[in-house]
Amino acid sequence: MKYRVVCPAKINEFLAVGLPDERQYHPVETVMQAVSLGDILEIEVGIAGLDDVQFSRAAGLEFDWEPIPSANTITKALLLLRTRIDLPAMRVEVQKFVPTESGLGGGSSDAAGILRFAQFLHPEALSDATLAELASMIGADVTFFLHGGRALATGFGEQIRPLNDLPTRWMVIARPGVGCSTRDMYMKLDATERPLVTYRGDVGHNDFERVAPCESLELLDRLRSVGAVIANLTGSGSATFGFFTNERAAQWAANRLEEEGVPFVRVACTVPRMTDRQHGIFEL
């Protein structure tokens, strides 16, 4: 059997970072929103002669994943799942559309996709609580991607409170030619003095804009100049996004940025919360 698992990216509509604790963990308050840009996992299960998990590189990858690192979010998810269930032999092909080092959560969403698929195969062995526990062991954003939609994350990012889905909103996601290491961005942020901001229902704030690359800040200005109602950095960068009044306005703005040579430009829309265990999983 072969399946397709859709793994949506996310944007951060609001992101405030607290001071690190003794473990150098940072408390955060952030509003995350799943978007239509995403990776795709194609998973073939029950392959004769295959007794392990194999990865293959999909044609047309925008970012080179060869060789796949021995420790990535997908392999972490599979190793954790093996402590709870007997995984069948499978081949996983990653169609990578979400750029790395962008703050869009592609790797976390891929891991959540593997967890959701495992629950789809073994619902009796993997409860929602178990999946959330495994997700928190992989990374903070993974918990959000189990259901997506729009949510407020607090604590160290693992405490997720779903927010009501809003009507579909259109955006342009743009990334400069430079990436941002999450670890490095936190170090740079800790070296600055900044007020501690609390989420009060507002959007359009991201502490990492204080230390974002010039290329990302320039993209924010460009998004505003082509009509973005709100333009913001997502995550720790380097990708940016801007909300537009409708799809047509977003497409026009994206065309302008592409003409100017921006390396990565995509029109996307918000996607609602996943409502059942098969959401985003399709049999091929």
Side-chain angles (χ1 to χ4, degrees):
M1 299 289 290
K2 195 169 185 178
Y3 299 88
R4 175 175 292 146
V5 182
V6 178
C7 303
K10 59 82 180 169
I11 56 171
N12 296 81
E13 297 182 6
F14 177 94
L15 176 54
V17 181
L19 300 177
D21 63 11
E22 64 280 359
R23 302 167 298 172
Q24 296 303 301
Y25 288 2
H26 294 77
V28 299
E29 283 190 282
T30 183
V31 174
M32 294 187 282
Q33 169 68 64
V35 299
S36 57
L37 172 67
D39 293 340
I40 293 174
L41 309 179
E42 289 201 353
I43 305 175
E44 193 171 359
V45 178
I47 306 166
L50 182 66
D51 58 3
D52 204 345
V53 177
Q54 291 187 355
F55 295 91
S56 60
R57 181 179 186 270
L61 282 180
E62 295 188 58
F63 293 83
D64 191 4
W65 258 38
E66 280 194 350
I68 293 176
S70 58
N72 58 69
T73 55
I74 295 177
T75 56
K76 288 178 184 177
L78 290 167
L79 288 171
L80 285 170
L81 284 167
R82 283 173 172 164
T83 68
R84 306 299 178 97
I85 61 173
D86 291 327
L87 280 176
M90 65 174 72
R91 179 179 290 113
V92 181
E93 183 179 87
V94 184
Q95 297 182 8
K96 194 75 179 158
F97 300 107
V98 180
T100 59
E101 292 194 338
S102 298
L104 292 164
S108 296
S109 186
D110 295 345
I114 288 290
L115 295 179
R116 292 190 291 109
F117 180 70
Q119 186 186 51
F120 168 73
L121 292 180
H122 300 280
E124 71 292 339
L126 294 170
S127 65
D128 288 347
T130 299
L131 231 59
E133 176 190 352
L134 297 177
S136 67
M137 296 168 69
I138 302 169
D141 287 352
V142 181
T143 306
F144 164 75
F145 284 115
L146 293 178
H147 299 286
R150 189 168 183 259
L152 173 66
T154 55
F156 298 103
E158 82 290 353
Q159 298 175 23
I160 305 294
R161 179 164 67 87
L163 301 175
N164 290 334
D165 287 323
L166 299 176
T168 301
R169 292 168 291 162
W170 288 92
M171 73 195 74
V172 172
I173 297 173
R175 181 192 188 276
V178 298
C180 288
S181 159
T182 301
R183 179 177 179 274
D184 290 348
M185 292 297 285
Y186 272 102
M187 291 176 63
K188 290 178 181 179
L189 191 61
D190 289 340
T192 67
E193 291 187 9
R194 65 185 188 279
L196 299 180
V197 180
T198 300
Y199 177 65
R200 302 184 185 279
D202 48 343
V203 298
H205 173 85
N206 187 330
D207 276 339
F208 285 106
E209 288 184 15
R210 294 174 173 272
V211 293
C214 294
E215 294 90 339
S216 295
L217 299 179
E218 289 170 1
L219 270 182
L220 291 177
D221 289 338
R222 290 301 302 131
L223 283 164
R224 296 182 185 108
S225 72
V226 293
V229 179
I230 294 174
N232 216 35
L233 191 75
T234 182
S236 57
S238 63
T240 62
F241 69 92
F243 281 125
F244 290 81
T245 53
N246 53 50
E247 182 181 7
R248 182 177 179 181
Q251 189 61 65
W252 181 87
N255 292 342
R256 289 289 302 273
L257 294 180
E258 287 177 341
E259 290 170 1
E260 294 173 8
V262 176
F264 182 93
V265 182
R266 296 290 186 277
V267 173
C269 65
T270 56
V271 296
R273 182 175 171 81
M274 299 179 190
T275 55
D276 59 61
R277 288 180 174 175
Q278 195 173 347
H279 200 119
I281 301 173
F282 306 94
E283 185 175 334
L284 299 177

